[in-house]
Amino acid sequence: MRADQTDVLKRLSYIEGHLNGVRKMIEADQYCVDVLRQTYAVRKAIEKMEALILEQHLHTCVPEGIKEGREDAVINELMQLYNLAGNR
Amino acid sequence: MRADQTDVLKRLSYIEGHLNGVRKMIEADQYCVDVLRQTYAVRKAIEKMEALILEQHLHTCVPEGIKEGREDAVINELMQLYNLAGNR
Amino acid sequence: MRADQTDVLKRLSYIEGHLNGVRKMIEADQYCVDVLRQTYAVRKAIEKMEALILEQHLHTCVPEGIKEGREDAVINELMQLYNLAGNR
Amino acid sequence: MRADQTDVLKRLSYIEGHLNGVRKMIEADQYCVDVLRQTYAVRKAIEKMEALILEQHLHTCVPEGIKEGREDAVINELMQLYNLAGNR
């Protein structure tokens, strides 16, 4: 397992734990505003994990693809990700 | 347990399952673009759960608070949520 | 004109000026990354103006509507805004 | 002027006109919810213009930079844009 994959999985474990906390709050019928504050934090943690994955992708697959002549495919994929990331 | 709470928990279970799928993809070292597509879908599912929780909040606590004279506290809380939701 | 409306218009003037700067950058064929940094700043300024308008709405029309028995209409409108604001 | 720059400027003119409509609505003291619907539409139009500028950047400067050995600088810039775009 690569070092960066370990880092991604560590963040994922944190997110799973956080989401489990959200479940307990909902089951205990806690104040909805407090639940929402936690779900926003979970989304933010997912976004940080995504940034890490994207950064790896940009440093490995993208330059490889461009050097191998698959430039259009690589760029189109990046634009798709960008639009998906922003709900666009 | 209220009917709407059951609906929120159902969505949460779906999100947990989806996130577990993301874990398996990362552990199997799958293509990062495919992983990102799934994490974006997870975030979108969380946003839908949040909209449900917020809607309940607006239909219950907000009108109650306003009728009981806690208008400023209720509005400030809503503004905080709005800003948090948009990473503002 | 109300004091808060003056504040909104002041922010709008700032946004228009900022956008005019973006136009000059594009016409001068400046580096696209620099242009994007400015358009992101414009969007952020619009979001701040929106937060101001929303806050006024929450402090005036929403409590009025709830006290006058138009609770459902007021809440549905808020949910529509929330979903629009997040591109949801 | 390049064809793609013309397209970007056409979108910018549309955005400026749209924003001018927002100004008239605010000056005429129109319903805040209607104003917000329009400002959200303006932001969405800016996002579409950004996507166009980014796509040009990915098709020109990025592959050039990578082929010229400035890979790290190009990638870091992309990550900055990604984080800025999402208010991250």
Side-chain angles (χ1 to χ4, degrees):
Chain A
M1 194 183 289
R2 291 163 302 151
D4 48 17
Q5 197 184 2
T6 314
D7 196 5
V8 170
L9 285 171
K10 205 180 291 176
R11 279 165 192 269
L12 186 57
S13 297
Y14 169 79
I15 292 162
E16 290 165 339
H18 205 151
L19 206 57
N20 195 39
V22 169
R23 167 173 286 282
K24 280 177 189 152
M25 289 180 82
I26 296 171
E27 287 172 347
D29 208 7
Q30 288 195 21
Y31 186 42
C32 24
V33 172
D34 293 332
V35 174
L36 286 173
R37 278 192 236 270
Q38 295 310 312
T39 60
Y40 295 152
V42 168
R43 272 202 283 133
K44 212 152 177 109
I46 294 177
E47 285 180 8
K48 283 197 179 150
M49 184 180 72
E50 288 168 354
L52 197 69
I53 297 174
L54 179 63
E55 201 168 4
Q56 294 172 17
H57 177 63
L58 290 173
H59 276 294
T60 53
C61 317
V62 171
E64 275 169 33
I66 287 174
K67 284 167 193 163
E68 290 168 5
R70 291 180 291 103
E71 191 178 306
D72 279 357
V74 162
I75 303 299
N76 288 340
E77 230 171 29
L78 281 183
M79 281 310 296
Q80 277 176 33
L81 286 183
Y82 181 80
N83 288 329
L84 276 175
N87 279 342
R88 274 171 279 260
Chain B
M1 191 183 291
R2 289 164 302 149
D4 47 18
Q5 199 184 359
T6 313
D7 194 6
V8 171
L9 284 171
K10 206 180 288 177
R11 279 165 193 269
L12 186 57
S13 298
Y14 169 79
I15 292 162
E16 289 165 338
H18 205 151
L19 206 57
N20 194 41
V22 169
R23 168 173 285 281
K24 281 180 188 149
M25 290 180 80
I26 297 171
E27 287 173 349
D29 208 8
Q30 290 195 20
Y31 186 43
C32 25
V33 172
D34 293 332
V35 174
L36 286 173
R37 279 192 235 268
Q38 295 310 312
T39 61
Y40 295 152
V42 169
R43 272 203 283 133
K44 213 156 175 105
I46 294 177
E47 285 180 8
K48 283 198 180 150
M49 183 180 72
E50 288 169 352
L52 197 68
I53 297 174
L54 179 64
E55 201 168 5
Q56 293 171 17
H57 178 62
L58 290 174
H59 277 295
T60 55
C61 317
V62 170
E64 274 168 35
I66 287 174
K67 284 168 191 160
E68 291 167 4
R70 293 179 290 102
E71 190 176 308
D72 279 357
V74 161
I75 304 299
N76 288 341
E77 232 172 28
L78 281 183
M79 282 309 296
Q80 277 176 32
L81 287 184
Y82 181 80
N83 289 328
L84 277 173
N87 279 341
R88 275 171 279 260
Chain C
M1 194 184 287
R2 290 163 303 151
D4 47 17
Q5 199 185 359
T6 313
D7 195 7
V8 170
L9 284 171
K10 206 179 290 175
R11 280 166 191 270
L12 186 57
S13 297
Y14 169 80
I15 292 162
E16 289 165 340
H18 205 149
L19 206 57
N20 194 40
V22 169
R23 167 173 286 281
K24 281 177 187 151
M25 291 180 78
I26 296 171
E27 286 173 348
D29 209 7
Q30 289 197 21
Y31 186 42
C32 26
V33 172
D34 294 331
V35 174
L36 286 173
R37 279 192 236 270
Q38 295 310 313
T39 60
Y40 295 153
V42 170
R43 272 203 283 132
K44 212 153 177 109
I46 295 178
E47 286 180 8
K48 281 195 181 153
M49 183 181 72
E50 288 168 354
L52 197 68
I53 297 173
L54 179 64
E55 201 168 4
Q56 293 171 17
H57 178 63
L58 290 174
H59 277 295
T60 53
C61 318
V62 170
E64 274 168 36
I66 288 174
K67 284 168 191 160
E68 291 168 3
R70 291 180 289 104
E71 190 176 308
D72 278 358
V74 162
I75 303 300
N76 288 341
E77 231 172 27
L78 281 182
M79 282 310 296
Q80 276 176 32
L81 288 183
Y82 181 81
N83 289 329
L84 277 174
N87 280 342
R88 275 172 278 260
Chain D
M1 193 183 289
R2 289 163 303 152
D4 46 18
Q5 198 184 359
T6 313
D7 195 6
V8 170
L9 284 171
K10 205 180 290 176
R11 280 166 193 269
L12 187 56
S13 298
Y14 169 79
I15 292 162
E16 290 165 339
H18 205 151
L19 207 56
N20 194 40
V22 169
R23 168 174 284 281
K24 282 179 187 150
M25 291 180 80
I26 296 172
E27 287 173 347
D29 208 8
Q30 289 195 20
Y31 187 42
C32 25
V33 172
D34 294 332
V35 174
L36 287 172
R37 279 191 235 271
Q38 295 310 312
T39 61
Y40 295 152
V42 169
R43 273 203 283 132
K44 214 157 175 106
I46 294 177
E47 287 180 8
K48 282 196 180 151
M49 184 181 72
E50 288 168 354
L52 197 68
I53 297 173
L54 179 64
E55 200 168 5
Q56 294 171 16
H57 178 63
L58 289 174
H59 277 294
T60 54
C61 317
V62 170
E64 273 168 36
I66 287 174
K67 283 167 192 161
E68 290 168 5
R70 293 179 290 103
E71 188 176 311
D72 279 358
V74 161
I75 303 299
N76 288 341
E77 231 172 28
L78 281 182
M79 282 310 295
Q80 277 175 32
L81 287 184
Y82 181 81
N83 289 329
L84 277 174
N87 280 341
R88 276 172 278 259

